[in-house]
Amino acid sequence: HPDVKLYKVINKADGKLLSYFFADMIPRPGKYGHAAAFSLIMGRVKADGYSYPVSSIVSNFNPPSGDKPSLLNIDEVETLFHEFGHIMHQILTRAPYASLSGTSVAQDFVEAPSQMLENWVWDESILNRISGHYKNTSQKLPSELLKKILAAKDFNQGYFYTRQLFLGLMDFTMHMTQGAVNTTTLHDQLYKKIIGIDPVAGNHFNATFGHLMGGYDAGYYGYLWSEVYAQDMFTVFKEKGLLDASTGARYRSIILEKGNMKEPLDLVREFLGREPSPAAFYEKLGIKP
């Protein structure tokens, strides 16, 4: 499709080609309606060298209209960074086997690189670098508006994480229960118990919960667990600088290139230089353990 763009990734140190990725950003009839990153060709060692990974980032952002380009709100920018975290995991892999390369990692770690990259969106200096009026990019977000955007980041956070716990526990319960499961009854009981309010009468939420049948079965908890790793790894960038090249290079070589060649916990431990901890995740939630 003419709206899809192909990018090639070049290693700055030696000018060598590393990989490719497609950017398929705006909606069209019949297109996948969510946002995701897909591996098209997996990285692997072949007789003639390393196979160049090829991936695609797919989203459905506001399309351009007339002389107005596609303009993203802050949530869409966060989605873009999230999916690009997956893309980097896929296209910078150097694992020797396709089955172990890129995002072919443990289910409860696969979201960590994508969730970690979301943090860049909520940094004032980064937002100033990537924002700008489309008619004059030197005009950045007004300071007052920028502060309001950053202050609103935590809005409804309690409900969001409570809901994530609810979805993960519902997924677990559904797959661990012996015999037939009435999914609607299960949903309503757990919703009342965990969220604390009555569910909407007559709902059939599980009919719309795509992750149950999309490969995350009994693994949806991984979104929340991955974020524990993500926020812990982000502490290194917070200390060294969000644009520190040497930290980025370490992250690339230790986390992104390895794929599933080593256990995720061992990779995180090596990158951090210490034992992993949930402290950064608690701090993000404003919780003092």
Side-chain angles (χ1 to χ4, degrees), residues 109-183:
F109 182 72
V110 70
E111 297 294 336
S114 55
Q115 289 175 325
M116 191 190 76
L117 201 63
E118 293 176 19
N119 288 288
W120 272 252
V121 179
W122 300 99
D123 179 83
E124 186 171 345
S125 64
I126 299 297
L127 273 180
N128 271 320
R129 287 174 66 97
I130 65 176
S131 72
H133 195 283
Y134 74 97
K135 291 184 177 179
N136 181 359
T137 55
S138 66
Q139 294 182 11
K140 301 300 181 180
L141 282 169
S143 177
E144 185 177 346
L145 177 59
L146 180 57
K147 286 180 168 53
K148 286 182 179 179
I149 289 173
L150 295 175
K153 175 179 179 290
D154 292 334
F155 174 72
N156 233 9
Q157 189 169 247
Y159 172 73
F160 173 82
Y161 283 100
T162 302
R163 182 174 181 272
Q164 288 295 92
L165 283 169
F166 157 67
L167 293 174
L169 287 168
M170 182 172 65
D171 184 30
F172 265 152
T173 306
M174 194 176 299
H175 285 88
M176 293 171 65
T177 301
Q178 297 294 318
V181 177
N182 185 317
T183 60

Side-chain angles (χ1 to χ4, degrees), residues 1-7 21-29 31 56-66 68-70:
H1 193 279
D3 289 338
V4 181
K5 294 183 179 181
L6 175 65
Y7 293 86
F21 72 91
F22 291 94
D24 184 359
M25 298 297 202
I26 58 177
R28 59 180 177 273
K31 181 184 170 183
S56 178
I57 182 170
V58 176
S59 59
N60 289 274
F61 298 140
N62 292 320
S65 176
K68 188 177 180 180
S70 177

Side-chain angles (χ1 to χ4, degrees), residues 154-230:
D154 292 334
F155 174 72
N156 233 9
Q157 189 169 247
Y159 172 73
F160 173 82
Y161 283 100
T162 302
R163 182 174 181 272
Q164 288 295 92
L165 283 169
F166 157 67
L167 293 174
L169 287 168
M170 182 172 65
D171 184 30
F172 265 152
T173 306
M174 194 176 299
H175 285 88
M176 293 171 65
T177 301
Q178 297 294 318
V181 177
N182 185 317
T183 60
T184 300
T185 301
L186 175 64
H187 168 275
D188 290 354
Q189 290 173 345
L190 285 175
Y191 190 93
K192 175 69 172 179
K193 180 180 179 180
I194 298 169
I195 305 295
I197 58 177
D198 291 325
V200 175
N203 83 88
H204 295 285
F205 168 78
N206 287 322
T208 70
F209 189 17
H211 288 80
L212 287 176
M213 300 295 288
Y216 274 86
D217 38 311
Y220 188 80
Y221 78 94
Y223 272 98
L224 204 51
W225 192 244
S226 289
E227 192 173 355
V228 176
Y229 295 127

Side-chain angles (χ1 to χ4, degrees), residues 9-19 52 94 252 257:
V9 180
I10 304 294
N11 192 44
K12 186 176 181 180
D14 55 18
K16 290 183 178 180
L17 176 66
L18 290 175
S19 53
Y52 300 125
R94 301 301 293 175
R252 171 183 163 186
E257 290 184 354

